[in-house]
Amino acid sequence: MTNSAAPTARPATGPPAVPPPGAGRAAGHRGLTGLRERVRLLGGTLHAAPRDGGFEVLATLPDQVNQKPPRDTGEPRQEAEGAPESALRLTAARRSTRRRFAAALGAPVGLGLVALVSCVLLAQQLTTCVLRPVDYAALRPGQDRGEVARLLPERPFRYVPDAVRALPAPPGTDCAYYRSNGNLLDQVDLYRLCYEGSHLVAKDVLPG
């Protein structure tokens, strides 16, 4: 059941037998059709027809008194409209925090990986320059380089302390150094082999 106000009528004000231009057009034209559509959107009805030698337009609209007005929440409109912006700022802050956390965690991890790779490479170099004591004992001055090379490890020891390199060696010789064992945590004695030309001329055990 709809509560409607009393119909309001606009009586004819003159004696014309035909409606005014536009008002009396057949249904479907813009004038009355647009007005009827607007009334319908408000929940009412529109009646338009000739009456008593004139033209009557009657609109029936719902009673606006019984409709509840929008509830005022008391919140400023700007705050409601600003909510999406606040959410975007919160999201951006969270992303920035995650990036800083990843950077703070990634730096130590990266340094740790570099240190690990360096230790592995160093360990490989130290273990591939070990001349076994039994092979050192088999070497004799005067042997040819090719004969000596069959008993030598893959590479010479490159990290010889300066104090060891400064020890006297036979003049005019070219010397190579080797570790005496593969202990990676302690300093070990070094073997020094000195060549003159293509022959071994001296071998020494030096403190590491």
Side-chain angles (χ1 to χ4, degrees):
M1 173 176 170
T2 60
N3 187 6
S4 301
T8 58
R10 189 181 64 184
T13 58
V18 294
R25 292 179 182 175
H29 292 278
R30 181 175 300 275
L32 288 177
T33 301
L35 183 59
R36 184 176 287 108
E37 180 66 20
R38 287 171 173 78
V39 172
R40 186 185 65 81
L41 291 176
L42 294 175
T45 58
L46 178 71
H47 175 75
R51 181 179 178 180
D52 298 335
F55 196 83
E56 180 184 63
V57 177
L58 180 63
T60 303
L61 299 175
D63 187 359
Q64 300 294 327
V65 176
N66 294 332
Q67 293 186 0
K68 295 183 180 180
R71 189 177 67 176
D72 186 7
T73 60
E75 298 180 355
R77 188 170 181 177
Q78 290 183 352
E79 292 184 3
E81 294 179 352
E85 183 179 356
S86 300
L88 292 176
R89 290 180 179 177
L90 179 59
T91 302
R94 289 177 176 174
R95 289 178 179 174
S96 178
T97 301
R98 287 195 294 266
R99 286 195 296 266
R100 289 196 297 267
F101 178 77
L105 181 63
V109 172
L111 292 176
L113 291 176
V114 171
L116 178 61
V117 172
S118 300
C119 290
V120 171
L121 293 177
L122 180 60
Q124 181 183 12
Q125 291 180 2
L126 294 180
T127 54
T128 55
C129 62
V130 175
L131 176 59
R132 298 185 306 169
V134 63
D135 293 331
Y136 174 78
L139 297 177
R140 296 287 184 270
Q143 288 180 311
D144 184 79
R145 274 182 181 264
E147 186 180 358
V148 172
R150 290 195 294 268
L151 300 176
L152 297 181
E154 182 179 344
R155 58 172 57 89
F157 181 51
R158 302 181 183 277
Y159 307 102
V160 181
D162 293 338
V164 175
R165 289 188 182 276
L167 295 176
T173 58
D174 177 23
C175 300
Y177 300 84
Y178 301 90
R179 289 171 57 87
S180 59
N181 66 59
N183 193 330
L184 302 179
L185 300 180
D186 294 334
Q187 291 183 343
V188 299
D189 292 340
L190 300 180
Y191 294 141
R192 183 177 68 181
L193 304 180
C194 296
Y195 301 88
E196 184 175 359
S198 61
H199 293 83
L200 177 67
V201 296
K203 67 174 190 176
D204 304 284
V205 179
L206 306 177

Coordinates of all heavy atoms in Angstrom, one line a residue, residues 40-130:
R40 N 7.9 8.9 -12.9 CA 8.0 7.5 -12.6 C 9.3 7.2 -11.8 O 9.2 6.3 -10.9 CB 8.1 6.7 -13.9 CG 8.0 5.2 -13.7 CD 8.2 4.5 -15.1 NE 9.6 4.7 -15.6 CZ 10.7 4.0 -15.2 NH1 10.6 3.1 -14.2 NH2 11.8 4.3 -15.7
L41 N 10.4 7.9 -12.0 CA 11.6 7.6 -11.2 C 11.4 8.1 -9.8 O 12.1 7.5 -8.9 CB 12.8 8.4 -11.9 CG 13.3 7.9 -13.2 CD1 14.4 8.8 -13.8 CD2 13.8 6.4 -13.1
L42 N 10.5 9.0 -9.6 CA 10.2 9.4 -8.2 C 9.1 8.6 -7.5 O 8.7 8.8 -6.4 CB 9.7 10.9 -8.2 CG 10.8 11.9 -8.6 CD1 10.1 13.3 -8.7 CD2 11.9 11.9 -7.7
G43 N 8.6 7.6 -8.3 CA 7.7 6.7 -7.7 C 6.2 7.1 -7.9 O 5.3 6.5 -7.3
G44 N 6.0 8.0 -8.8 CA 4.6 8.5 -9.0 C 4.1 8.2 -10.4 O 4.7 7.4 -11.1
T45 N 3.0 8.8 -10.7 CA 2.3 8.6 -12.0 C 2.0 9.9 -12.6 O 1.8 10.9 -11.9 CB 1.1 7.7 -11.8 OG1 0.2 8.3 -10.9 CG2 1.4 6.3 -11.3
L46 N 1.8 10.0 -13.9 CA 1.5 11.2 -14.6 C 0.3 10.9 -15.5 O 0.3 9.9 -16.3 CB 2.7 11.7 -15.4 CG 2.4 13.0 -16.2 CD1 2.3 14.2 -15.3 CD2 3.6 13.2 -17.2
H47 N -0.7 11.8 -15.5 CA -1.9 11.7 -16.3 C -2.0 13.0 -17.1 O -2.0 14.1 -16.5 CB -3.1 11.5 -15.5 CG -4.4 11.5 -16.4 ND1 -4.7 10.4 -17.2 CD2 -5.4 12.4 -16.5 CE1 -5.9 10.7 -17.8 NE2 -6.3 11.9 -17.4
A48 N -2.1 13.0 -18.4 CA -2.2 14.2 -19.2 C -3.2 13.9 -20.3 O -3.1 12.9 -21.1 CB -0.8 14.5 -19.9
A49 N -4.3 14.8 -20.3 CA -5.4 14.6 -21.3 C -6.2 15.8 -21.4 O -6.2 16.7 -20.5 CB -6.2 13.4 -20.9
P50 N -6.9 16.0 -22.5 CA -7.8 17.2 -22.6 C -8.9 17.1 -21.6 O -9.4 16.0 -21.2 CB -8.4 17.1 -24.0 CG -7.4 16.2 -24.7 CD -6.9 15.2 -23.7
R51 N -9.3 18.3 -21.1 CA -10.4 18.3 -20.1 C -11.1 19.7 -20.1 O -10.4 20.7 -19.9 CB -9.8 18.0 -18.7 CG -10.9 18.0 -17.6 CD -10.3 17.7 -16.2 NE -11.3 17.7 -15.2 CZ -11.1 17.5 -13.9 NH1 -9.8 17.2 -13.5 NH2 -12.1 17.5 -13.0
D52 N -12.4 19.6 -20.1 CA -13.2 20.8 -20.1 C -12.7 21.9 -21.0 O -12.5 23.1 -20.6 CB -13.3 21.4 -18.6 CG -13.9 20.4 -17.7 OD1 -14.7 19.5 -18.1 OD2 -13.5 20.4 -16.5
G53 N -12.5 21.6 -22.2 CA -12.0 22.5 -23.2 C -10.6 23.0 -23.1 O -10.1 23.9 -23.8
G54 N -9.8 22.4 -22.2 CA -8.4 22.7 -22.0 C -7.6 21.4 -22.0 O -8.0 20.4 -22.6
F55 N -6.5 21.5 -21.3 CA -5.6 20.3 -21.2 C -5.1 20.2 -19.8 O -4.7 21.1 -19.2 CB -4.4 20.5 -22.1 CG -3.6 19.2 -22.4 CD1 -4.1 18.3 -23.3 CD2 -2.5 18.9 -21.6 CE1 -3.4 17.1 -23.6 CE2 -1.8 17.7 -21.9 CZ -2.3 16.8 -22.8
E56 N -5.2 19.0 -19.2 CA -4.9 18.8 -17.8 C -3.7 17.8 -17.7 O -3.6 16.8 -18.4 CB -6.1 18.1 -17.1 CG -5.8 17.9 -15.6 CD -7.0 17.2 -15.0 OE1 -7.3 16.0 -15.4 OE2 -7.6 17.8 -14.1
V57 N -2.8 18.3 -16.9 CA -1.6 17.4 -16.5 C -1.7 17.1 -15.0 O -1.6 18.1 -14.2 CB -0.3 18.1 -16.9 CG1 0.9 17.3 -16.5 CG2 -0.2 18.4 -18.4
L58 N -1.8 15.9 -14.7 CA -2.0 15.5 -13.3 C -0.8 14.6 -12.9 O -0.6 13.5 -13.5 CB -3.3 14.8 -13.1 CG -3.6 14.3 -11.7 CD1 -3.7 15.5 -10.7 CD2 -4.9 13.5 -11.7
A59 N -0.1 15.0 -11.9 CA 1.1 14.2 -11.4 C 0.8 13.7 -10.0 O 0.4 14.5 -9.1 CB 2.4 15.0 -11.4
T60 N 0.9 12.4 -9.7 CA 0.7 11.9 -8.3 C 2.1 11.4 -7.8 O 2.7 10.5 -8.5 CB -0.3 10.7 -8.4 OG1 -1.5 11.2 -8.9 CG2 -0.5 10.2 -7.0
L61 N 2.6 12.0 -6.7 CA 3.9 11.6 -6.2 C 3.8 11.0 -4.8 O 2.8 11.3 -4.1 CB 4.8 12.9 -6.2 CG 5.0 13.6 -7.5 CD1 5.8 14.9 -7.3 CD2 5.8 12.6 -8.4
P62 N 4.7 10.2 -4.4 CA 4.7 9.6 -3.0 C 4.8 10.7 -2.0 O 5.4 11.8 -2.3 CB 5.9 8.7 -3.0 CG 6.2 8.4 -4.4 CD 5.8 9.7 -5.2
D63 N 4.3 10.4 -0.8 CA 4.4 11.4 0.3 C 5.9 11.4 0.8 O 6.3 10.4 1.4 CB 3.5 10.9 1.4 CG 3.4 12.0 2.5 OD1 4.1 13.0 2.4 OD2 2.6 11.8 3.5
Q64 N 6.6 12.5 0.6 CA 8.0 12.6 1.1 C 8.1 12.6 2.6 O 9.2 12.4 3.1 CB 8.6 13.8 0.4 CG 8.6 13.8 -1.1 CD 9.4 12.7 -1.7 OE1 10.4 12.3 -1.1 NE2 9.0 12.1 -2.8
V65 N 7.1 12.9 3.3 CA 7.2 13.1 4.7 C 7.5 11.7 5.4 O 8.3 11.7 6.4 CB 5.9 13.6 5.3 CG1 5.9 13.7 6.8 CG2 5.6 15.0 4.7
N66 N 7.0 10.6 4.8 CA 7.2 9.3 5.4 C 8.5 8.7 5.0 O 8.9 7.6 5.5 CB 6.1 8.4 5.0 CG 4.7 8.8 5.7 OD1 4.7 9.4 6.7 ND2 3.6 8.5 5.0
Q67 N 9.2 9.3 4.1 CA 10.5 8.8 3.7 C 11.6 9.2 4.7 O 11.7 10.4 5.1 CB 10.9 9.2 2.3 CG 10.0 8.6 1.2 CD 10.5 9.0 -0.2 OE1 11.5 9.7 -0.3 NE2 9.7 8.5 -1.2
K68 N 12.5 8.3 5.1 CA 13.5 8.6 6.0 C 14.7 9.2 5.3 O 15.1 8.8 4.3 CB 14.0 7.3 6.7 CG 12.9 6.6 7.5 CD 13.5 5.4 8.2 CE 12.5 4.7 9.1 NZ 13.0 3.5 9.8
P69 N 15.1 10.4 5.9 CA 16.3 11.0 5.2 C 17.5 10.2 5.5 O 17.6 9.4 6.4 CB 16.3 12.4 6.0 CG 15.7 12.1 7.3 CD 14.6 11.1 7.1
P70 N 18.5 10.4 4.7 CA 19.8 9.7 4.9 C 20.4 10.0 6.2 O 20.3 11.2 6.7 CB 20.7 10.3 3.8 CG 19.8 10.9 2.7 CD 18.6 11.3 3.5
R71 N 20.8 9.0 6.9 CA 21.4 9.2 8.3 C 22.7 9.9 8.2 O 23.6 9.5 7.4 CB 21.5 7.8 8.9 CG 21.8 7.9 10.4 CD 21.9 6.6 11.1 NE 23.0 5.8 10.6 CZ 23.3 4.6 11.0 NH1 22.6 4.0 12.0 NH2 24.4 4.0 10.5
D72 N 22.8 10.9 9.0 CA 24.1 11.6 9.1 C 25.0 10.9 10.1 O 24.7 10.8 11.3 CB 23.8 13.0 9.6 CG 25.1 13.9 9.6 OD1 26.1 13.4 9.0 OD2 25.1 15.0 10.0
T73 N 26.1 10.4 9.6 CA 27.1 9.6 10.4 C 27.9 10.6 11.3 O 28.6 10.1 12.2 CB 27.9 8.7 9.6 OG1 28.7 9.5 8.6 CG2 27.1 7.7 8.8
G74 N 28.0 11.8 10.9 CA 28.8 12.8 11.6 C 30.2 12.8 11.2 O 31.0 13.5 11.7
E75 N 30.6 11.9 10.2 CA 32.0 11.9 9.8 C 32.2 12.9 8.6 O 31.3 12.9 7.7 CB 32.4 10.5 9.3 CG 32.3 9.5 10.4 CD 32.7 8.1 10.0 OE1 32.9 8.0 8.7 OE2 32.7 7.2 10.8
P76 N 33.2 13.6 8.6 CA 33.4 14.5 7.5 C 33.6 13.7 6.2 O 34.1 12.6 6.1 CB 34.8 15.2 7.8 CG 34.9 15.0 9.3 CD 34.2 13.7 9.6
R77 N 33.1 14.3 5.1 CA 33.1 13.6 3.8 C 34.5 13.4 3.3 O 34.8 12.5 2.7 CB 32.3 14.4 2.8 CG 32.1 13.7 1.5 CD 31.1 14.4 0.7 NE 30.9 13.7 -0.6 CZ 30.0 14.0 -1.5 NH1 29.2 15.1 -1.3 NH2 29.9 13.3 -2.6
Q78 N 35.4 14.4 3.6 CA 36.7 14.3 3.2 C 37.4 13.0 3.7 O 38.2 12.4 3.1 CB 37.5 15.5 3.5 CG 37.1 16.7 2.7 CD 37.9 17.9 3.1 OE1 38.7 17.9 4.0 NE2 37.7 19.0 2.3
E79 N 37.1 12.7 5.0 CA 37.7 11.5 5.6 C 37.3 10.3 4.9 O 38.1 9.4 4.6 CB 37.4 11.5 7.1 CG 38.0 12.6 7.9 CD 37.7 12.4 9.3 OE1 37.1 11.4 9.7 OE2 38.1 13.3 10.1
A80 N 36.0 10.2 4.5 CA 35.5 9.0 3.8 C 36.1 8.9 2.5 O 36.5 7.8 2.0 CB 34.0 9.1 3.7
E81 N 36.2 10.0 1.8 CA 36.9 10.0 0.5 C 38.4 9.7 0.6 O 39.0 9.2 -0.3 CB 36.6 11.3 -0.2 CG 35.2 11.5 -0.6 CD 34.9 12.8 -1.3 OE1 35.9 13.6 -1.3 OE2 33.8 13.1 -1.7
G82 N 39.0 10.1 1.7 CA 40.4 9.9 1.9 C 40.8 8.5 2.3 O 42.0 8.2 2.4
A83 N 39.8 7.6 2.6 CA 40.1 6.3 3.0 C 40.9 5.5 2.0 O 41.9 4.9 2.4 CB 38.8 5.5 3.4
P84 N 40.6 5.5 0.7 CA 41.4 4.8 -0.2 C 42.8 5.3 -0.3 O 43.8 4.5 -0.4 CB 40.7 5.0 -1.5 CG 39.3 5.3 -1.2 CD 39.4 6.1 0.1
E85 N 43.0 6.6 -0.1 CA 44.4 7.1 -0.1 C 45.2 6.6 1.1 O 46.4 6.3 1.0 CB 44.4 8.7 -0.1 CG 45.7 9.3 -0.2 CD 45.7 10.8 -0.2 OE1 44.6 11.4 -0.3 OE2 46.7 11.4 -0.2
S86 N 44.5 6.6 2.2 CA 45.2 6.0 3.4 C 45.6 4.6 3.2 O 46.7 4.1 3.6 CB 44.3 6.2 4.6 OG 44.0 7.5 4.9
A87 N 44.7 3.8 2.6 CA 45.0 2.4 2.3 C 46.2 2.3 1.4 O 47.1 1.4 1.6 CB 43.8 1.7 1.7
L88 N 46.3 3.2 0.4 CA 47.4 3.1 -0.5 C 48.7 3.5 0.2 O 49.7 2.9 -0.1 CB 47.2 4.1 -1.7 CG 46.0 3.7 -2.7 CD1 45.8 4.8 -3.7 CD2 46.4 2.4 -3.4
R89 N 48.6 4.5 1.1 CA 49.8 4.8 1.8 C 50.3 3.7 2.7 O 51.5 3.4 2.9 CB 49.6 6.1 2.7 CG 49.4 7.3 1.8 CD 49.1 8.5 2.7 NE 49.0 9.8 2.0 CZ 48.7 10.9 2.5 NH1 48.5 11.0 3.8 NH2 48.5 12.0 1.7
L90 N 49.3 3.0 3.3 CA 49.7 1.9 4.2 C 50.3 0.7 3.4 O 51.3 0.1 3.8 CB 48.4 1.3 4.9 CG 48.6 0.1 5.8 CD1 49.6 0.5 6.9 CD2 47.3 -0.3 6.4
T91 N 49.8 0.5 2.2 CA 50.3 -0.5 1.3 C 51.8 -0.2 0.9 O 52.7 -1.0 0.9 CB 49.5 -0.7 0.1 OG1 48.1 -1.1 0.5 CG2 50.0 -1.8 -0.8
A92 N 52.0 1.1 0.5 CA 53.3 1.5 0.1 C 54.3 1.4 1.3 O 55.4 1.1 1.1 CB 53.2 3.0 -0.4
A93 N 53.8 1.8 2.5 CA 54.7 1.7 3.7 C 55.1 0.2 4.0 O 56.2 -0.1 4.3 CB 54.0 2.3 4.9
R94 N 54.1 -0.7 3.8 CA 54.4 -2.1 4.0 C 55.4 -2.6 3.0 O 56.3 -3.4 3.3 CB 53.2 -2.9 4.0 CG 52.2 -2.7 5.2 CD 51.0 -3.5 5.0 NE 50.1 -3.3 6.2 CZ 48.9 -3.8 6.3 NH1 48.3 -4.5 5.3 NH2 48.2 -3.7 7.4
R95 N 55.3 -2.2 1.7 CA 56.2 -2.6 0.7 C 57.6 -2.1 1.0 O 58.6 -2.8 0.8 CB 55.7 -2.1 -0.7 CG 54.5 -2.8 -1.2 CD 54.0 -2.3 -2.5 NE 52.8 -3.0 -3.0 CZ 52.1 -2.6 -4.1 NH1 52.6 -1.5 -4.8 NH2 51.1 -3.3 -4.5
S96 N 57.7 -0.8 1.4 CA 59.0 -0.2 1.7 C 59.6 -1.0 2.9 O 60.8 -1.2 2.9 CB 58.8 1.3 2.1 OG 60.0 1.8 2.4
T97 N 58.8 -1.4 3.9 CA 59.4 -2.1 5.0 C 59.9 -3.5 4.6 O 61.0 -3.9 5.0 CB 58.3 -2.3 6.1 OG1 57.8 -1.0 6.5 CG2 58.9 -3.0 7.3
R98 N 59.1 -4.1 3.7 CA 59.6 -5.4 3.2 C 60.9 -5.3 2.4 O 61.8 -6.1 2.5 CB 58.5 -6.1 2.3 CG 57.3 -6.6 3.1 CD 56.5 -7.5 2.3 NE 55.8 -6.8 1.2 CZ 54.6 -6.4 1.3 NH1 53.9 -6.5 2.4 NH2 54.1 -5.8 0.2
R99 N 61.0 -4.2 1.6 CA 62.2 -4.0 0.8 C 63.4 -3.8 1.7 O 64.5 -4.3 1.5 CB 62.1 -2.9 -0.2 CG 61.2 -3.2 -1.4 CD 61.4 -2.1 -2.5 NE 60.9 -0.8 -2.0 CZ 59.7 -0.4 -2.2 NH1 58.8 -1.1 -2.9 NH2 59.3 0.8 -1.8
R100 N 63.2 -2.9 2.8 CA 64.3 -2.7 3.7 C 64.7 -3.9 4.4 O 65.9 -4.2 4.7 CB 63.9 -1.6 4.7 CG 63.8 -0.2 4.1 CD 63.8 0.9 5.1 NE 62.7 0.8 6.0 CZ 61.5 1.4 5.8 NH1 61.4 2.2 4.7 NH2 60.5 1.3 6.6
F101 N 63.7 -4.7 4.8 CA 64.0 -6.0 5.5 C 64.8 -6.9 4.6 O 65.8 -7.6 5.1 CB 62.7 -6.6 6.0 CG 62.9 -7.9 6.7 CD1 63.4 -8.0 8.0 CD2 62.7 -9.1 6.0 CE1 63.6 -9.2 8.6 CE2 62.9 -10.3 6.7 CZ 63.3 -10.4 8.0
A102 N 64.4 -7.0 3.3 CA 65.1 -7.9 2.4 C 66.5 -7.4 2.2 O 67.4 -8.2 2.1 CB 64.3 -8.0 1.1
A103 N 66.7 -6.1 2.1 CA 68.1 -5.6 1.9 C 68.9 -5.8 3.1 O 70.1 -6.2 3.0 CB 68.0 -4.1 1.6
A104 N 68.3 -5.6 4.3 CA 69.1 -5.9 5.6 C 69.5 -7.3 5.7 O 70.5 -7.7 6.2 CB 68.3 -5.4 6.8
L105 N 68.6 -8.2 5.3 CA 68.9 -9.6 5.4 C 69.8 -10.1 4.3 O 70.6 -11.0 4.4 CB 67.6 -10.4 5.4 CG 67.7 -11.9 5.5 CD1 68.3 -12.3 6.8 CD2 66.3 -12.6 5.3
G106 N 69.6 -9.5 3.1 CA 70.4 -9.9 1.9 C 71.9 -9.6 2.0 O 72.7 -10.3 1.5
A107 N 72.2 -8.4 2.6 CA 73.6 -8.0 2.7 C 74.4 -9.0 3.5 O 75.5 -9.5 3.0 CB 73.7 -6.6 3.3
P108 N 74.0 -9.4 4.7 CA 74.8 -10.5 5.4 C 74.9 -11.8 4.7 O 75.9 -12.5 4.7 CB 74.1 -10.6 6.8 CG 73.4 -9.3 7.0 CD 73.0 -8.9 5.6
V109 N 73.8 -12.2 4.1 CA 73.7 -13.4 3.4 C 74.7 -13.4 2.2 O 75.5 -14.3 1.9 CB 72.3 -13.8 2.9 CG1 72.3 -15.0 2.0 CG2 71.4 -14.0 4.1
G110 N 74.7 -12.2 1.5 CA 75.6 -12.1 0.3 C 77.1 -12.1 0.8 O 77.9 -12.8 0.1
L111 N 77.4 -11.4 1.9 CA 78.7 -11.4 2.4 C 79.1 -12.8 2.8 O 80.3 -13.3 2.6 CB 78.9 -10.4 3.5 CG 78.8 -9.0 3.1 CD1 78.8 -8.1 4.4 CD2 79.9 -8.5 2.2
G112 N 78.2 -13.5 3.4 CA 78.5 -14.9 3.9 C 78.8 -15.8 2.7 O 79.7 -16.6 2.8
L113 N 78.0 -15.6 1.6 CA 78.3 -16.5 0.4 C 79.6 -16.2 -0.2 O 80.4 -17.1 -0.6 CB 77.2 -16.2 -0.6 CG 75.8 -16.8 -0.2 CD1 74.8 -16.4 -1.3 CD2 75.8 -18.3 -0.1
V114 N 80.0 -14.9 -0.2 CA 81.3 -14.5 -0.8 C 82.4 -15.1 0.1 O 83.4 -15.6 -0.5 CB 81.4 -12.9 -0.9 CG1 82.8 -12.5 -1.2 CG2 80.4 -12.4 -1.9
A115 N 82.2 -15.0 1.4 CA 83.3 -15.5 2.3 C 83.4 -17.0 2.1 O 84.5 -17.6 2.1 CB 82.9 -15.2 3.7
L116 N 82.2 -17.7 2.0 CA 82.2 -19.1 1.8 C 82.9 -19.6 0.5 O 83.8 -20.5 0.5 CB 80.8 -19.7 1.8 CG 80.6 -21.2 1.6 CD1 81.3 -21.9 2.7 CD2 79.2 -21.5 1.5
V117 N 82.6 -18.9 -0.6 CA 83.3 -19.2 -1.8 C 84.8 -18.9 -1.7 O 85.6 -19.7 -2.2 CB 82.7 -18.3 -3.0 CG1 83.4 -18.5 -4.3 CG2 81.2 -18.8 -3.2
S118 N 85.2 -17.8 -1.1 CA 86.6 -17.5 -0.9 C 87.3 -18.6 -0.1 O 88.4 -19.0 -0.5 CB 86.8 -16.2 -0.3 OG 86.2 -15.1 -1.0
C119 N 86.6 -19.1 0.9 CA 87.3 -20.1 1.8 C 87.4 -21.4 1.0 O 88.4 -22.1 1.1 CB 86.4 -20.4 3.0 SG 86.5 -19.0 4.2
V120 N 86.4 -21.7 0.1 CA 86.5 -22.9 -0.7 C 87.6 -22.8 -1.7 O 88.4 -23.8 -1.8 CB 85.1 -23.2 -1.4 CG1 85.3 -24.3 -2.4 CG2 84.1 -23.5 -0.4
L121 N 87.8 -21.7 -2.3 CA 88.9 -21.5 -3.3 C 90.2 -21.6 -2.6 O 91.2 -22.2 -3.1 CB 88.7 -20.2 -4.0 CG 87.5 -20.1 -4.9 CD1 87.4 -18.7 -5.5 CD2 87.5 -21.2 -6.0
L122 N 90.3 -20.9 -1.4 CA 91.6 -21.0 -0.7 C 91.9 -22.4 -0.3 O 93.1 -22.8 -0.4 CB 91.5 -20.0 0.5 CG 92.8 -19.9 1.4 CD1 94.0 -19.5 0.5 CD2 92.6 -19.0 2.6
A123 N 90.9 -23.1 0.2 CA 91.2 -24.5 0.7 C 91.6 -25.3 -0.5 O 92.5 -26.2 -0.4 CB 89.9 -25.0 1.3
Q124 N 91.0 -25.1 -1.7 CA 91.4 -25.9 -2.9 C 92.9 -25.5 -3.2 O 93.6 -26.5 -3.6 CB 90.5 -25.5 -4.0 CG 90.8 -26.3 -5.3 CD 89.9 -25.9 -6.5 OE1 89.2 -24.9 -6.4 NE2 90.0 -26.7 -7.5
Q125 N 93.3 -24.3 -3.2 CA 94.6 -23.9 -3.5 C 95.6 -24.5 -2.5 O 96.7 -25.0 -2.9 CB 94.8 -22.4 -3.6 CG 94.0 -21.8 -4.7 CD 94.2 -20.3 -4.8 OE1 94.9 -19.7 -3.9 NE2 93.5 -19.6 -5.7
L126 N 95.3 -24.5 -1.2 CA 96.2 -25.0 -0.2 C 96.3 -26.5 -0.3 O 97.4 -27.0 0.0 CB 95.7 -24.6 1.2 CG 95.7 -23.1 1.5 CD1 95.2 -22.8 2.9 CD2 97.1 -22.5 1.3
T127 N 95.3 -27.2 -0.7 CA 95.4 -28.7 -0.7 C 96.0 -29.2 -2.0 O 96.3 -30.3 -2.1 CB 94.0 -29.3 -0.6 OG1 93.1 -28.7 -1.5 CG2 93.5 -29.0 0.8
T128 N 96.1 -28.3 -3.1 CA 96.6 -28.7 -4.3 C 98.1 -28.3 -4.5 O 98.7 -28.4 -5.6 CB 95.8 -28.2 -5.5 OG1 95.7 -26.8 -5.4 CG2 94.4 -28.8 -5.5
C129 N 98.7 -27.8 -3.4 CA 100.1 -27.4 -3.4 C 100.9 -28.1 -2.3 O 101.9 -27.6 -1.9 CB 100.3 -25.9 -3.3 SG 99.7 -25.2 -1.7
V130 N 100.4 -29.3 -2.0 CA 101.1 -30.1 -0.9 C 102.0 -31.1 -1.6 O 101.6 -31.9 -2.4 CB 100.0 -30.8 0.0 CG1 100.8 -31.7 1.0 CG2 99.2 -29.8 0.7

